[in-house]
């Protein structure tokens, strides 16, 4: 059976996985009147407490930066993400959990920031970085199972490699799906080479 985008989307939807397209920026702040620090705000709908899931939460895998900083295509703003709310050091994680509690968010679906898609990389380096990113995300999820689920990254510029990376991310690392950019090196996602 030929594997098409349509079949892929049907399969991931049935499998409970996810595919998330991201044209984003990040800037979460607690809303006015959020719960006091230390208390998790409860979200109630129809008298029932509901579990809230933020589908759009990024982390910065800083080990990728030294490997890509000298490429002209690299978004140089990525250098500052290690000092942002996307960092994965303990102090930043503690702050993230406090903000999640204040906003009434039970779970973040974490993924790399779009500047870390790195679709311009050649296959070997791209594969190395994606594997590192996905394994880091899986480790964060494993360490905080009650607060995180993960989306992986894939080398979308190399469709055959991307399929292998998706398989590894979902079947071996237990990530829920992948996040992809809105274009690949300026090309549309509808390009038949991405089928």
């Amino acid at each position: 059976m030929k594997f098409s985008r349509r079949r892929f989307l049907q399969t991931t939807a049935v499998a409970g996985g996810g595919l998330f397209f991201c044209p984003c920026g990040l800037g979460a702040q607690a809303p006015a009147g959020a719960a006091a620090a230390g208390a998790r705000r409860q979200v109630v709908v129809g008298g029932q407490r509901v579990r809230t899931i933020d589908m759009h939460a990024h982390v910065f895998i800083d080990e990728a930066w030294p490997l890509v900083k000298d490429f002209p295509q690299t978004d140089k703003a990525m250098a500052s993400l290690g000092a942002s709310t996307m960092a994965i050091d303990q102090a930043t994680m503690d702050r993230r959990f406090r903000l999640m509690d204040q906003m009434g968010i039970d779970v973040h679906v974490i993924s790399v920031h779009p500047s870390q898609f790195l679709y311009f990389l050649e296959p070997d380096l791209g594969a190395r970085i994606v594997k590192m990113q996905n394994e880091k995300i899986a480790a964060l999820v494993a360490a905080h199972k009650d607060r995180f689920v993960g989306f992986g990254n894939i080398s979308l510029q190399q469709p055959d490699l991307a399929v292998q990376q998706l398989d590894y991310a979902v079947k071996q690392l237990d990530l829920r799906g992948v996040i992809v950019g809105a274009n690949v090196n300026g090309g549309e996602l509808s390009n038949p080479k991405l089928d």
Side-chain angles (χ1 to χ4, degrees), residues 119-171:
Y119 294 149
F120 58 85
L121 293 176
E122 52 82 19
D124 290 341
L125 182 57
R128 182 174 152 206
I129 290 174
V130 165
K131 185 176 191 290
M132 173 185 30
Q133 291 169 330
N134 292 347
E135 289 176 350
K136 272 283 204 183
I137 289 171
L140 280 170
V141 169
H144 305 283
K145 290 182 184 205
D146 62 327
R147 302 310 302 261
F148 292 149
V149 296
F151 277 165
N153 188 18
I154 56 176
S155 298
L156 204 54
Q157 73 278 21
Q158 301 288 330
D160 291 339
L161 177 58
V163 170
Q164 294 170 22
Q165 292 168 330
L166 174 63
D167 190 60
Y168 178 69
V170 173
K171 292 180 180 176

Side-chain angles (χ1 to χ4, degrees), residues 59-63 86-90 92-93 136 140:
V59 293
F60 176 65
I61 310 302
D62 60 356
E63 293 89 345
M86 291 178 263
I88 57 175
D89 61 85
Q90 190 59 53
T92 306
M93 286 287 107
K136 272 283 204 183
L140 280 170

